[in-house]
Amino acid sequence: MMVSAGTLHVVSTELTVGAFAMAGLAFLLAGLSSHGLLGLQRHLNLMDHVAHFALAFGLLAMPMAVLTGIQASPGEGIDHPLLINKMLLASASFGLAFGVLLSRRTHGVTLWDDTWGSRWQAMGGMAASGLILATASIGGTFSRGESLLDMFHLPYEQVPIFPIWLSGIIVVMALANLAMMRRPNA
């Protein structure tokens, strides 16, 4: 007996969303503790580890959620505006989460010592988590016709199209960032 793509999609989506939700909360708490708020300073190391481990786990679970989602969707794959928006948001979240993890790997725990570094790290982790939660909300709208974010009346049916020139600028910026990472620190 085989397990359907829909069932595998539910399981892999729950793993992904749960990991990203845990990461988002841990990044919030790490950001607060790095600024000495709410008396959480002594828990910064714990929050740092939880946030980055949960984010890494979510990234590992994400490809299975995407692949099973494509297999489980009715039609010929990605042929609905909701599915296209899901792919855009999931891709943006993946890139943001990867950057956050790469930053942590490059700078280590000391990134929390810098005021702006800790803010960007916390906001990046929370933004990646928020994008995945929005992706899951679109999935609920697509499969059940409702989601938790319906009260915000988000334009899920509209697909943002980037002009070629804007896509080119983003590619150049990404390549410049990669080149800067390869240079040794002075």
Side-chain angles (χ1 to χ4, degrees):
M1 182 162 101
M2 298 289 291
V3 177
S4 72
T7 301
L8 286 176
H9 182 63
V10 169
V11 171
S12 59
T13 298
E14 293 300 328
L15 284 173
T16 303
V17 171
F20 271 89
M22 175 65 75
L25 178 61
F27 274 111
L28 173 65
L29 294 174
L32 292 173
S33 66
S34 71
H35 286 57
L37 300 172
L38 302 179
L40 296 171
Q41 297 90 327
R42 64 189 178 104
H43 300 294
L44 177 58
N45 195 36
L46 173 66
M47 292 302 141
D48 170 67
H49 283 82
V50 169
H52 291 95
F53 180 82
L55 194 63
F57 184 82
L59 280 180
L60 291 174
M62 187 187 293
M64 182 66 133
V66 170
L67 292 174
T68 57
I70 291 170
Q71 291 298 317
S73 69
E76 299 295 317
I78 304 173
D79 57 356
H80 193 280
L82 293 177
L83 297 178
I84 294 168
N85 280 328
K86 280 183 68 167
M87 289 300 291
L88 289 172
L89 288 174
S91 298
S93 177
F94 186 90
L96 200 56
F98 188 74
V100 165
L101 290 174
L102 188 60
S103 179
R104 171 59 169 81
R105 171 121 166 68
T106 303
H107 299 288
V109 177
T110 60
L111 66 81
W112 295 107
D113 296 338
D114 178 59
T115 302
W116 281 102
S118 63
R119 287 178 186 163
W120 284 112
Q121 190 72 359
M123 287 189 302
M126 289 186 296
S129 299
L131 289 172
I132 284 298
L133 295 177
T135 303
S137 178
I138 292 173
T141 300
F142 182 73
S143 62
R144 294 181 305 277
E146 66 178 1
S147 81
L148 287 174
L149 300 181
D150 282 347
M151 64 182 138
F152 297 117
H153 306 289
L154 299 172
Y156 292 146
E157 295 285 337
Q158 297 172 359
V159 178
I161 307 275
F162 274 30
I164 296 293
W165 62 267
L166 184 56
S167 297
I169 289 172
I170 291 170
V171 167
V172 168
M173 288 173 55
L175 291 173
N177 281 334
L178 287 172
M180 295 299 288
M181 286 179 49
R182 302 291 298 165
R183 280 193 351 204
N185 292 339

